[in-house]
Amino acid sequence: EVVMTQSPATLSMSPGERATLSCRASETVAGNLAWYMQRPGQAPRLLIYAASTRATGVPARFSGSGFGADFTLTISSLESEDFAVYYCQQYNDWPTFGQGTTVDIK
Amino acid sequence: DVQVEESGGGLVRPGGSLRLSCVASGFTFSTSGMNWVRRAPGRGLEWISYISAKSNLIHYADSVRGRFTIFRDNAKNSVFLQMNGLTDEDTAVYFCARGGYSSSWLDSWGQGTLVTVSS
């Protein structure tokens, strides 16, 4: 099983700031990496797939980068609706998720 | 509009069984792979099962293999998860999500249905 490790566990930010979230795989997953956002009580929402491709309707302030085992999700300027839990997921093998990064309001 | 809706959750005793249902609309269900993912209290997301469009490829996470069975009815745009031998470790919100062929990203999710295993 590919183990996905996200850091930090919690990111305390203010609206308008730039947020950088990291995801590391225990082995290479090539570019087979997705990012999701989940607000409390809501369904997860796909943000990024193929490491850097924004899903339909996702604002341009969200960007993904990386290849192999190290990946980054960047939110260029946080808006109020962006405070949520973010998960990375590899699909190079059967899917596994990271444990999540909570972006909360400082 | 793509819509996915789960149902069938509830309270069940350890060792019991439950069947979850997921009905989809707004896309061609019969050509889409479908997945079940869960989120236990205080934990992250855990993928648990996949079924391909024609049911010829099925896979399970180790945590549920041998206890859970995924199947689908394309005529009813529905996918199901039969859960047997439930333990308190299975307590979670269960999500149905659309994927591709085999392992892939999951682009449409339902709101989830809560399964609580408790005596």
Side-chain angles (χ1 to χ4, degrees), chain B residues 70-119:
Chain B
I70 190 170
F71 59 101
R72 63 191 292 161
D73 183 341
N74 286 346
K76 296 182 178 179
N77 282 7
S78 296
V79 59
F80 306 91
L81 188 68
Q82 176 67 41
M83 305 186 295
N84 299 330
L86 288 162
T87 75
D88 56 1
E89 298 279 305
D90 298 313
T91 294
V93 176
Y94 286 73
F95 298 96
C96 174
R98 182 178 74 168
Y101 182 75
S102 188
S103 189
S104 72
W105 63 88
L106 307 178
D107 65 1
S108 300
W109 298 63
Q111 293 292 319
T113 187
L114 175 62
V115 173
T116 303
V117 183
S118 175
S119 53

Side-chain angles (χ1 to χ4, degrees), chain B residues 22-24 27-34 51-56 71-80:
Chain B
C22 168
V23 61
F27 63 96
T28 306
F29 182 80
S30 62
T31 62
S32 297
M34 298 297 294
I51 185 167
S52 63
K54 304 303 182 188
S55 303
N56 57 323
F71 59 101
R72 63 191 292 161
D73 183 341
N74 286 346
K76 296 182 178 179
N77 282 7
S78 296
V79 59
F80 306 91

Side-chain angles (χ1 to χ4, degrees), chain B residues 35-79:
Chain B
N35 298 262
W36 286 97
V37 177
R38 67 185 179 185
R39 183 176 182 185
R43 303 184 68 172
L45 298 172
E46 179 190 15
W47 172 85
I48 56 173
S49 189
Y50 168 84
I51 185 167
S52 63
K54 304 303 182 188
S55 303
N56 57 323
L57 177 63
I58 288 173
H59 197 77
Y60 301 97
D62 289 346
S63 58
V64 305
R65 186 176 293 115
R67 300 186 300 123
F68 290 11
T69 302
I70 190 170
F71 59 101
R72 63 191 292 161
D73 183 341
N74 286 346
K76 296 182 178 179
N77 282 7
S78 296
V79 59

Side-chain angles (χ1 to χ4, degrees), chain A residues 6-47:
Chain A
Q6 292 185 241
S7 61
T10 303
L11 203 52
S12 295
M13 309 287 294
S14 299
E17 288 189 311
R18 180 184 186 91
T20 303
L21 289 67
S22 296
C23 174
R24 174 167 287 180
S26 60
E27 60 188 75
T28 181
V29 297
N32 298 313
L33 193 284
W35 289 95
Y36 302 85
M37 171 176 67
Q38 187 176 29
R39 302 187 185 102
Q42 295 190 16
R45 176 191 180 189
L46 175 68
L47 298 174

